[in-house]
Amino acid sequence: QVRLVESGGGLVQAGGSLTLSCVASGRTFSDYAMAWFRQAPGKAREFVGAIKWNGDTTFYKDSVQGRFTISRDDAKNTVYLQMNSLKPDDTAAYYCASENRAYTYGSSFERDYDYWGQGTQVTVYS
């Protein structure tokens, strides 16, 4: 059984930084692209960014490009989301997800991910 567990969320002032972690278990982590999504209250879940299965490519939602960085440590079965210059609009529950096919670049579409974490809350105040 595949399990994803996020951590690292919290309350942070605008302009600050947070790093989220997502630990995976249950299948060969290094074979799969990983992504981060987020959902703000009253809004649909949206793509934040993704990292290719081998870690050499990342891509992001326009509004976080240059502020957020995704990385992975396959030895620890962990994917990270480093968030800098946080804004109140970044307030949301953040979810990690694992692609449903091995050896891909990743995707911005929810339908391409078959395993999800429980989410970790990030709240940015001004």
Side-chain angles (χ1 to χ4, degrees), residues 18-39:
L18 277 177
T19 299
L20 307 183
S21 301
C22 171
V23 180
S25 61
R27 66 178 177 185
T28 306
F29 175 79
S30 58
D31 289 348
Y32 294 88
M34 298 291 294
W36 288 92
F37 289 77
R38 67 186 183 187
Q39 186 168 21

Side-chain angles (χ1 to χ4, degrees), residues 6-108:
E6 301 100 333
S7 62
L11 184 66
V12 62
Q13 191 170 18
S17 300
L18 277 177
T19 299
L20 307 183
S21 301
C22 171
V23 180
S25 61
R27 66 178 177 185
T28 306
F29 175 79
S30 58
D31 289 348
Y32 294 88
M34 298 291 294
W36 288 92
F37 289 77
R38 67 186 183 187
Q39 186 168 21
K43 296 186 177 181
R45 189 157 56 185
E46 65 177 7
F47 172 77
V48 174
I51 185 166
K52 187 181 173 186
W53 70 275
N54 65 355
D56 69 0
T57 302
T58 56
F59 58 101
Y60 304 90
K61 171 183 174 65
D62 286 349
S63 64
V64 308
Q65 179 75 48
R67 299 189 298 122
F68 289 11
T69 302
I70 296 176
S71 61
R72 63 191 299 158
D73 184 342
D74 290 346
K76 296 182 178 180
N77 286 356
T78 302
V79 62
Y80 302 96
L81 179 65
Q82 171 70 43
M83 303 184 293
N84 298 325
S85 303
L86 282 161
K87 305 175 182 179
D89 284 350
D90 295 318
T91 294
Y94 283 72
Y95 300 87
C96 66
S98 181
E99 256 260 23
N100 55 19
R101 296 172 299 148
Y103 312 119
T104 66
Y105 275 84
S107 165
S108 61

